[in-house]
Each structure stands twice: as structure tokens, then as C-alpha cells.
Amino acid sequence: MKYAISGALCAILSVTGADAATATRGGFSQLSDGTKVEAVTLTNGAGISAKIMSLGATLQSLMVPDKAGHKDDVVLGYDTAQEYLSHPDFFGASVGRYANRIAKGKFSLDGKAYTLATNDGPNSLHGGIKGFDKRMWKIDSVTSGADAKVVMSYVSADGEEGFPGELKVTATYSLNEQNELKLEYKATTSKPTVLNLTNHSYFNLSGNDARDVMGNMVTLHAAKFTPVDATLIPTGERRAVAGSPFDFRTPHRVGDRIRDARDQQIRYGRGYDHNYVVDGAAGSLRPAAVINDPVSGRTMEMSVSAPGIQFYTGNFLDGTFFGKGQHSYRQGDSICLEPGVFPDSPNHADFPTARLNPGQAYVNTMVYRFSAK
């Protein structure tokens, strides 16, 4: 399948020869209880490398060359595995069972009420107290070749964090010589359940933690978004972005309208923390977003199969998160793009369904393509 990707790759990111991408497995660090955490590093001929650790099937680092060929890590995170548990904020994590929010931690399925932990004010967020980001995933396979690939899996017990059904999940990361990092989640269930898996990477394409993302140019292929209430739960409306600070159909600097307090939605989200309705047919891989950092020249183009994508600008990072190299992460230091069904879909009959039945296969695919010029 061809993806609609704009722009030519810079010479420094072009692939020369027929070098195969490589996947290398090794130790990463260990948790305070002695549990060993492994990592797999995927590397291509252009010098892009992605390190995925088994705790949370987490994208721990992503090295990408800039327009001068200098490689930097463009995702936020920590240097050790234990920090991801001690100071959790979902950096690079595989999030589930239900990414994003469920109102009041409650939903009904086939007439039965389910109650979840409320870990975000009155609501349930990102799978509860111990979601998939805090679980150890099994490394099933590691392969080099045209696509360097790692497959990780996790089995979530029936009733875990309040969700019904035993869930078998895989996360497959692959990197090719076209500078595409692909991530695909698949799942099956033993009982009817609700499911929304995503990746929660925080991107700063400058690769420089001293520079925020307010000068980044963002495009979102979405004519509508879902407004929220004061607790960030969707009201049920699909609102046109036209004429509002939420219109990124053409490239805009993140910082141009993020403090426009005349818009109540900006006040509720402390900036951008909203689900966009991605143009085109859900289930098909299609363009969703573009981020460009004018200083480094790096561009990331994202295609998704999901119906929506959460655009979040790290509004709740408050300077108390000390990440890689003991750098303090602050509000506006990153951009998250989280593809999935809409927040609180189990409680909105007219939203894309989050229901998964036995015999069905859940798939959520996202592709990140990098260039620099």
C-alpha cells in the first residue's frame, strides 16, 4: 500500500546501497524489584534508530538525523526503566486497555455495568491504575531485513483493571529504508469488551530539550474535532474547526493560538488536548498529521487507520518530570499524536465503536515517516 506523503527526502536521509535494516536485542536496565527490562533497537541505513523496551512496549528513544546529518533523540522519556514506573506520564508507552478517558470510570456493555478506577479527577484515564504501560511485555520475535522488526505481546486477564474478557495483544514495531517507523497493535478477546490501544510518544523534533515545540509547524488532516467539558470528556458534538484555534488544515505554528483564552476549549485543555476526527475512511491507512521543526529541518508525517487522533501539547508537564539527562520537562515541550477511537466512546452510541467481540480482530496501525531539509 502506498501512503500519501509529501516532500522529498533530503540527501542525508536518502538510502544508499541495499543495506538491510537491523534489529538488535539486549539488556536495558532493571526495576527496583530486580526485574530485568530488555530493549530492541531497530536501525536503518539512513541512521534512524528506534529503541523499544519490554516495559510497556515503550518507544524509549528515537534517533533521527537533522538537515545537517546530526542525530538527536526526538522523543521524551527516561534513562532507566524504573523511572517510567516511579514518575509515570506515559512517555512513549503502549497505552491500554482504554487509551484516553472514560467518563466517571463507568460504562455498560450488553446491559451489564462496569466500574473502573478513577485516576484522572472523576474519570478513568489510559487503562487505570496499572495499565499496559506499566506491564512487562514478552518479546516474541526480533528480525532484521527489509523491515527491521520486533513483535511484543501481553495477555491481559479477564477483569484486569475492571475490563471484561481475557485480551491477547501484540505490538509490532518495524523500521524500513524509506524512513518509516510503523507500529501496529492487534488484539483478540474471550468476551465482549471495549478496547482502545495507542502509542503515547511525546515528540520534540528539535532533539533539543532546551527548545519547546511552540515554533513547530503542525498540519492536521481533520475538518472536525470533538469538544470537551471541564473534565476533558467529549460533549458528543463534532464541531467544525473552521474559524477556530483548532484549525490546522493548513500548517500553523503550535504557539500562535494555544493561549487564546477567548476559546473555552483552549481554557479547558490548558492548550490543545483534544480528539480530532481524521478525514477519510477509518480502517484505511491515510494521512493524519505533519509536524515540522523549521530549525532542525526535521519533518514527521503520520498516517493512521484509526477514526481519531488526540492532539496534545504536554500541557500537564509541570517541570517536576526530570527526563533523559536529568532535563526538566515543562508545559509545551512536546507534541503527542495518539490515534484511536474517540475518548469516552463506550458512553456515546454515535461515536466509532470501541467494542470488540470474540472472533473479531482488533487492529490499529500508525506510520511515522521522517525527512529533513
Side-chain angles (χ1 to χ4, degrees), residues 240-247 249 257 260 263:
V241 300
S244 80
F246 293 85
D247 191 351
R249 292 174 295 171
R257 300 166 298 181
D260 187 353
D263 192 296

Side-chain angles (χ1 to χ4, degrees), residues 129-147:
I129 302 300
K130 191 175 181 181
F132 290 1
D133 61 300
K134 301 173 184 69
R135 306 283 181 172
M136 290 298 301
W137 291 56
K138 179 177 177 286
I139 299 176
D140 290 337
S141 64
V142 178
T143 56
S144 299
D147 294 325

Side-chain angles (χ1 to χ4, degrees), residues 329-349:
Y329 293 147
R330 308 154 304 166
Q331 185 180 51
D333 276 353
S334 62
I335 292 170
C336 298
L337 297 168
E338 309 158 49
V341 297
F342 301 172
D344 201 33
S345 279
N347 294 310
H348 293 266

Side-chain angles (χ1 to χ4, degrees), residues 11-343:
I12 55 171
L13 286 187
S14 64
V15 178
T16 57
D19 296 337
T22 61
T24 306
R25 180 174 181 172
F28 178 64
S29 64
Q30 67 180 33
L31 302 179
S32 58
D33 65 2
T35 301
K36 294 181 180 179
V37 177
E38 291 188 279
V40 175
T41 302
L42 312 178
T43 306
N44 75 0
I48 294 177
S49 65
K51 180 182 290 184
I52 303 97
M53 68 173 180
S54 54
L55 175 64
T58 296
L59 181 61
Q60 192 272 334
S61 73
L62 181 59
M63 303 295 293
V64 179
D66 66 8
K67 61 186 177 183
H70 181 77
K71 301 172 190 175
D72 287 303
D73 192 351
V74 298
V75 293
L76 275 57
Y78 295 113
D79 291 319
T80 68
Q82 181 58 44
E83 290 174 285
Y84 285 83
L85 295 181
S86 301
H87 308 287
D89 206 55
F90 310 103
F91 292 123
S94 294
V95 178
R97 285 190 188 192
Y98 198 94
N100 222 304
R101 296 172 177 88
I102 294 179
K104 298 181 174 60
K106 297 182 183 297
F107 68 94
S108 294
L109 198 62
D110 297 332
K112 182 177 179 180
Y114 293 89
T115 300
L116 313 173
T118 51
N119 59 331
D120 183 58
N123 306 314
S124 179
L125 176 69
H126 291 335
I129 302 300
K130 191 175 181 181
F132 290 1
D133 61 300
K134 301 173 184 69
R135 306 283 181 172
M136 290 298 301
W137 291 56
K138 179 177 177 286
I139 299 176
D140 290 337
S141 64
V142 178
T143 56
S144 299
D147 294 325
K149 183 182 299 184
V150 57
V151 181
M152 296 185 178
S153 63
Y154 176 68
V155 178
S156 176
D158 183 11
E160 184 177 284
E161 288 294 327
F163 292 93
E166 181 186 73
L167 199 73
K168 295 181 178 179
V169 185
T170 61
T172 301
Y173 288 84
S174 59
L175 177 67
N176 64 22
E177 296 294 2
Q178 288 69 53
N179 303 309
E180 294 170 331
L181 177 65
K182 180 180 179 181
L183 173 52
E184 187 165 72
Y185 294 107
K186 294 183 178 181
T188 58
T189 183
S190 65
K191 296 179 182 178
T193 193
V194 297
L195 182 62
N196 187 31
L197 303 176
T198 198
N199 181 268
H200 204 301
S201 288
Y202 290 69
F203 293 97
N204 184 327
L205 294 187
S206 72
N208 180 352
D209 292 335
R211 193 165 76 240
D212 63 30
V213 298
M214 293 298 103
N216 282 191
M217 301 296 292
V218 169
T219 305
L220 297 174
H221 297 290
K224 295 181 179 180
F225 77 108
T226 52
V228 295
D229 64 17
T231 71
L232 301 181
I233 293 294
T235 63
E237 177 188 0
R238 291 175 173 87
R239 182 181 298 175
V241 300
S244 80
F246 293 85
D247 191 351
F248 286 89
R249 292 174 295 171
T250 56
H252 278 278
R253 282 171 26 106
V254 174
D256 284 347
R257 300 166 298 181
I258 198 171
R259 292 182 173 85
D260 187 353
R262 294 171 298 178
D263 192 296
Q264 187 181 58
Q265 290 297 306
I266 292 289
R267 296 200 299 271
Y268 282 162
R270 304 185 189 182
Y272 298 109
D273 190 5
H274 295 76
N275 169 68
Y276 280 73
V277 182
V278 180
D279 295 340
S284 63
L285 198 61
R286 64 213 190 279
V290 181
I291 305 173
N292 170 257
D293 174 47
V295 177
S296 70
R298 293 185 183 94
T299 294
M300 183 182 83
E301 300 168 272
M302 188 175 185
S303 297
V304 305
S305 64
I309 190 167
Q310 188 84 3
F311 175 47
Y312 172 55
T313 47
N315 311 329
F316 294 93
L317 299 179
D318 60 4
T320 64
F321 296 88
F322 300 101
K324 299 170 187 174
Q326 286 298 295
H327 189 86
S328 177
Y329 293 147
R330 308 154 304 166
Q331 185 180 51
D333 276 353
S334 62
I335 292 170
C336 298
L337 297 168
E338 309 158 49
V341 297
F342 301 172

